[in-house]
Amino acid sequence: MEFQRRRAVLRNLPLPRRRFTGTYTSIMPFRAGGRRLFLAVLADPESPDLGRGLAEAGAAVAGDEPRLVLAVASAVGRWRPFGEVRLDDERGAAEDAALAFDPIGNVPPGLRLAGPLARLRDDSYRGSRRARGAGLSRAARRG
């Protein structure tokens, strides 16, 4: 039990990584109703390995259809899978440049950012969107 608790704390810390395949989590929690939740993208053990560099990741995508598992957990609970992402093709330069990670503007419906730094992150991403000339998604505008 103590090991699981310690591992649950460590899973939300940014740690160096040597391979693309692994676990990627939301460092800050989200709130759904009265519950605090963390989101993750986990390596699918039955999926091709993505390797250590972009060339290896590109080869994995070109040769097969790697999958990543979407999961949710409480602060100390186990990851519960709820979906998957399939990596099916490389994107062109223009499409790649238009993509942006924005957990404030693209938050899943029913979730909102929680925690002591939520306001700071909201302000930071708002500034990033303004500088890039990007708007909020319809879901984010609705709240």
Side-chain angles (χ1 to χ4, degrees):
M1 183 69 152
E2 181 60 35
F3 174 74
Q4 283 183 336
R5 218 183 332 249
R6 192 172 9 168
R7 194 170 58 184
V9 170
L10 290 176
R11 71 179 172 203
N12 296 317
L13 294 176
L15 299 171
R17 184 176 309 277
R18 294 181 185 207
R19 306 189 70 74
F20 283 117
T21 302
T23 299
Y24 298 89
T25 67
S26 56
I27 292 175
M28 293 184 60
F30 289 88
R31 187 159 301 283
R35 300 182 62 198
R36 283 174 45 128
L37 303 171
F38 291 88
L39 301 178
V41 177
L42 313 171
D44 183 335
E46 297 180 17
S47 181
D49 184 70
L50 294 173
R52 296 177 67 125
L54 292 176
E56 289 179 63
V61 170
D64 201 347
E65 199 172 85
R67 294 169 309 281
L68 301 168
V69 177
L70 302 174
V72 64
S74 67
V76 294
R78 293 184 184 273
W79 292 116
R80 294 184 322 254
F82 67 86
E84 72 178 20
V85 173
R86 291 181 179 265
L87 307 176
D88 61 358
D89 199 9
E90 285 192 47
R91 303 296 180 236
E95 188 177 2
D96 184 59
L99 294 174
F101 176 74
D102 185 342
I104 307 299
N106 297 310
V107 66
L111 295 181
R112 62 182 168 80
L113 203 57
L117 300 176
R119 175 66 186 198
L120 177 63
R121 275 189 94 184
D122 185 35
D123 291 345
S124 298
Y125 279 100
R126 187 178 308 119
S128 173
R129 282 191 301 274
R130 188 172 32 250
R132 291 181 286 116
L136 284 174
S137 68
R138 283 191 187 125
R141 285 194 300 268
R142 283 194 303 265

